[in-house]
Amino acid sequence: MTAETDSINRLEALLLASESGLSIRQIQHLLDEAWTEAQIHMHLADLATRYAETALTIVEGAQGWRVQIRAAYAGVIQQAWPDRPIKLSPALLETLSVIAYHQPVTRGDIEQIRGVAINSQILRTLFDRQWIAERGHRDVAGRPALLVTTRHFLEAFGLPSLAALPALEQTIVPLATESE
């Protein structure tokens, strides 16, 4: 085995053992290699090529790079280890969408955009899942907290960054007209 193959194998071992994604800096630190960012990307591409004919793939998430099972094999994994699917109410999804697309926002901003009061349980659920966090306060009477999404939100929805959210126009479903 060549030294380069051994290094790539060590990179693969780190990715497989990690419970979350690894950033380029973490990879550099953990491998104690003198690899540049470009070299790490090249080695990740080499691993992706190695996995091309397997059930595994290399993906970049909000927390960094990781090895995961291809979506095409989700069914067999679900059969082997059935989980109760996470059920998210429309109100929770609307609230989370408002925060994601308009952050930082206050509770009042969300209520104004949605046109209804927010049930406190919705925000509690979003905080408990660590999908949102407070990031300061607005300088107005009452100093309401500013809410933003977190890296846990990005990971939960498979997004590398907020830039990967679909355009807001793409997410709006037209309502049926009365004539339909």
Side-chain angles (χ1 to χ4, degrees), residues 104-109 112 136-146:
V105 294
T106 65
R107 182 181 182 135
D109 295 334
Q112 183 179 11
H137 295 84
R138 184 165 290 156
D139 286 331
V140 296
R143 297 191 35 83
L146 292 170

Side-chain angles (χ1 to χ4, degrees), residues 1-159:
M1 173 179 346
T2 67
E4 184 167 336
T5 301
D6 182 56
S7 293
I8 293 172
N9 287 344
R10 291 181 339 124
L11 170 61
E12 179 182 35
L14 276 178
L15 293 172
L16 288 168
S18 179
E19 291 182 12
S20 62
L22 295 174
S23 70
I24 298 296
R25 285 197 176 138
Q26 287 173 311
I27 292 169
Q28 288 171 323
H29 174 75
L30 291 169
L31 286 178
D32 196 31
E33 298 278 351
W35 289 345
T36 65
E37 186 173 331
Q39 288 171 313
I40 290 174
H41 282 284
M42 182 183 69
H43 294 312
L44 289 166
D46 290 344
L47 282 174
T49 300
R50 186 187 298 179
Y51 292 156
E53 300 292 323
T54 72
L56 301 176
T57 186
I58 302 277
V59 296
E60 181 181 17
Q63 294 182 335
W65 293 90
R66 67 179 186 268
V67 174
Q68 75 178 31
I69 297 168
R70 291 184 190 281
Y73 299 99
V76 72
I77 299 303
Q78 183 64 29
Q79 284 178 320
W81 293 281
D83 276 339
R84 239 181 44 208
I86 297 172
K87 293 185 180 179
L88 304 176
S89 71
L92 185 139
L93 287 172
E94 285 176 9
T95 301
L96 185 57
S97 295
V98 169
I99 296 168
Y101 282 98
H102 299 282
Q103 61 187 299
V105 294
T106 65
R107 182 181 182 135
D109 295 334
I110 298 166
E111 289 175 346
Q112 183 179 11
I113 292 168
R114 289 190 62 226
V116 295
I118 298 175
N119 179 327
S120 295
Q121 184 60 40
I122 289 174
L123 289 178
R124 186 174 304 122
T125 299
L126 294 173
F127 278 113
D128 288 349
R129 291 183 188 265
Q130 298 179 348
W131 289 352
I132 64 170
E134 288 184 9
R135 291 289 185 264
H137 295 84
R138 184 165 290 156
D139 286 331
V140 296
R143 297 191 35 83
L146 292 170
L147 303 175
V148 297
T149 56
T150 65
R151 288 201 171 275
H152 292 283
F153 160 75
L154 296 172
E155 286 292 326
F157 289 89
L159 301 167

